[in-house]
Amino acid sequence: MKILVIGSGGREHALVWKLAQSAKVSKIYCAPGNGGIAAQAECVPIEATDVDRLVQFAKEKNVNLTVVGPEAPLLQGIVDRFQAEGLAIFGPKREAANLEGSKRFAKEIMEKYRIPTASFRSFTDPHEAKRYVRQQGAPIVVKADGLAAGKGVVVARTVEEAEQAIEDAMEKKVFGDAGNEVVIEEYLSGPEFSLMAFMDGTVVKPMVVAQDHKPVYNGNQGPNTGGMGAYSPVPQIPPRMVEQAVETILEPMAQALRKEGIEYKGVLYAGLMLTDEGPKVIEFNARFGDPETQAVLPRLQTDLVDVLMAVIDGHLADISLQWSDQASVCVILAAGGYPGTYEKGNPIAGISGQESGETIVFHSGTKRENGQIVTNGGRVLGVAALGESIDEAREKVYRRIEEVSFKEMHYRTDIADKATV
């Protein structure tokens, strides 16, 4: 099979890495890819949102399966377009992907079908939003309604912080059009976890649970990022709570979408919080998480090609997902200043050698320049490892990180630490 992976981050590198393990795969392309993906796939200089050129490329190269990594092309309707052209593609159509594209849309479906989540109100007028915050008090959560690369959420500890978040999103437009509308939610407390599942329109098959660390600094301090690390499994989330999340959230959402006349095929990502009342939804995403994918896919033992094709063909019931009992940890190495402004083009040392097998370095924001790998994003690398325990996997990761360096490299030293989780 010839496979095209769309995207350029660590999640896409993990997808390429896992797909390359399948005996069914003869060739992998990645558009546009990055400096690390180029070692396992032919990188094609087409942006993930250039749907016309991607369709043309898939036809020219007789691509058998296209896998969409990021959310932006999903919201553009890339799946609708590929399917109209008779091309096999993994991911939800535009209408289904709106579960991620509009937080208000997702919250309204959850409210209608009584899927557990925080109470909320949505606003298009910043003055009304601020008035509501003053009525409700703090802590309170302010979310840009649209796509904001994982950075559009502010957990405001004071009313003043919430008002500032509303101003930033709606008046200063720091998230562009994504902040034209905001969703203001009740503050929930408890441990967070990520539960991704494959869905074929009817059947839901959950992946192993993971936890993502979003704040940029140790101790979960500082602004939210796209994710500074992840690990799996999550010891503080009991298996019965994961089962409850599948039964009260994932399966009801699949049924709700069907009742709404929306076909959902792909990955449904539920960002969850374990509250005193049980699991509740923080957000839904319409694709593999990043960096959760870099922690979850190393544990998958079933051929990923078989799983993706079963989703597309509506035969997911015939697939048995097998997972390693080992633990997995992934730590992100970021550029100094991220998630704010940061430099690009800095040479990266310590990643040129062949990986030992103990760890894998997933490239997130890199490119090849004059025969050298240089930084090309805020999240630059993700170092991942499997171990017999979380502690063992964690030790392998941090030992490998000591060998890597680039200017102003920043990473959290407490990913998957018992004191942090």
Side-chain angles (χ1 to χ4, degrees):
M1 290 181 72
K2 293 181 182 177
I3 296 184
L4 168 62
V5 175
I6 294 173
S8 60
R11 162 186 51 218
E12 288 76 34
H13 192 176
L15 285 165
V16 166
W17 171 80
K18 181 54 79 171
L19 290 165
Q21 295 170 14
S22 172
K24 297 178 175 68
V25 175
S26 57
K27 175 79 176 180
I28 303 178
Y29 301 99
C30 190
N34 63 38
I37 290 172
Q40 288 176 303
E42 182 180 330
C43 291
V44 183
I46 305 174
E47 288 304 313
T49 50
D50 194 341
V51 175
D52 288 341
R53 287 186 64 203
L54 289 166
V55 166
Q56 183 184 358
F57 178 84
K59 285 183 165 181
E60 285 175 359
K61 297 296 184 182
N62 296 314
V63 169
N64 305 106
L65 169 64
T66 297
V67 183
V68 186
E71 58 275 21
L74 294 172
L75 268 299
Q76 279 188 309
I78 189 171
V79 173
D80 310 60
R81 180 70 192 286
F82 265 63
Q83 288 184 355
E85 299 282 349
L87 297 165
I89 184 167
F90 179 86
K93 292 181 180 179
R94 181 184 352 222
E95 190 179 24
N98 213 32
L99 207 57
E100 174 170 7
S102 169
K103 291 179 177 63
R104 176 179 53 79
F105 172 75
K107 295 292 280 193
E108 286 174 352
I109 287 187
M110 285 186 272
E111 185 176 56
K112 181 176 179 179
Y113 292 95
R114 297 183 178 178
I115 293 168
T117 189
S119 60
F120 77 102
R121 285 276 304 277
S122 61
F123 298 89
T124 53
D125 182 323
H127 302 294
E128 287 184 19
K130 288 179 186 177
R131 191 178 305 122
Y132 179 74
V133 162
R134 287 192 288 270
Q135 289 170 356
Q136 296 298 309
I140 199 163
V141 181
V142 179
K143 297 181 176 181
D145 178 63
L147 298 179
K151 301 172 199 143
V153 177
V154 174
V155 178
R157 302 292 173 182
T158 64
V159 168
E160 290 75 23
E161 269 185 63
E163 290 183 329
Q164 185 62 56
I166 292 164
E167 280 180 29
D168 288 345
M170 304 188 82
E171 295 172 0
K172 296 181 182 175
K173 301 290 185 188
V174 297
F175 307 116
D177 289 343
N180 290 347
E181 184 171 356
V182 296
V183 172
I184 300 178
E185 292 185 0
E186 161 198 17
Y187 171 76
L188 299 177
S189 62
E192 291 185 33
F193 62 107
S194 303
L195 183 58
M196 297 186 286
F198 294 106
M199 282 178 56
D200 71 354
T202 305
V203 174
V204 177
K205 295 232 170 174
M207 302 184 212
V208 287
V209 69
Q211 188 178 69
D212 173 24
H213 294 268
K214 284 210 176 293
V216 69
Y217 301 124
N218 281 7
N220 291 323
Q221 300 298 306
N224 274 351
T225 68
M228 292 300 291
Y231 64 98
S232 175
V234 188
Q236 68 273 26
I237 307 295
R240 62 187 173 81
M241 286 294 110
V242 178
E243 290 166 14
Q244 185 176 324
V246 173
E247 291 166 7
T248 63
I249 293 168
L250 294 182
E251 288 176 347
M253 179 53 79
Q255 292 164 14
L257 291 167
R258 282 202 304 279
K259 287 176 183 171
E260 293 291 313
I262 298 171
E263 179 187 67
Y264 197 109
K265 288 187 172 186
V267 169
L268 180 64
Y269 167 119
L272 305 172
M273 183 168 285
L274 182 55
T275 71
D276 291 340
E277 298 170 340
K280 290 190 177 184
V281 178
I282 302 168
E283 65 175 355
F284 279 115
N285 291 330
R287 36 73 191 179
F288 285 100
D290 187 345
E292 292 95 337
T293 302
Q294 295 91 297
V296 167
L297 283 188
R299 296 187 61 199
L300 178 64
Q301 295 177 323
T302 309
D303 189 320
L304 182 58
V305 172
D306 290 343
V307 182
L308 302 187
M309 292 307 298
V311 168
I312 291 169
D313 296 337
H315 297 149
L316 189 56
D318 300 334
I319 291 286
S320 174
L321 294 180
Q322 302 296 322
W323 300 94
S324 166
D325 290 333
Q326 288 186 298
S328 177
V329 173
C330 176
V331 175
I332 298 297
L333 309 185
Y338 174 77
T341 56
Y342 53 84
E343 288 184 12
K344 294 183 180 180
N346 292 317
I348 305 170
I351 58 168
S352 56
Q354 188 68 31
E355 293 300 321
S356 66
E358 285 281 291
T359 58
I360 178 159
V361 178
F362 292 118
H363 290 233
S364 299
T366 70
K367 68 175 180 177
R368 288 185 183 271
E369 196 171 75
N370 301 321
Q372 191 172 32
I373 303 285
V374 300
T375 64
N376 193 43
R379 292 187 294 171
V380 178
L381 301 168
V383 182
L386 287 167
E388 294 308 311
S389 65
I390 288 174
D391 285 345
E392 183 183 303
R394 191 172 177 276
E395 187 181 325
K396 288 178 183 177
V397 166
Y398 282 109
R399 195 163 57 232
R400 180 69 180 88
I401 287 173
E402 290 175 5
E403 302 167 10
V404 182
S405 65
F406 54 86
K407 185 181 175 186
E408 295 184 348
M409 183 173 92
H410 165 71
Y411 60 95
R412 285 181 53 167
T413 59
D414 63 347
I415 301 298
D417 189 307
K418 289 184 177 70
T420 305
V421 303

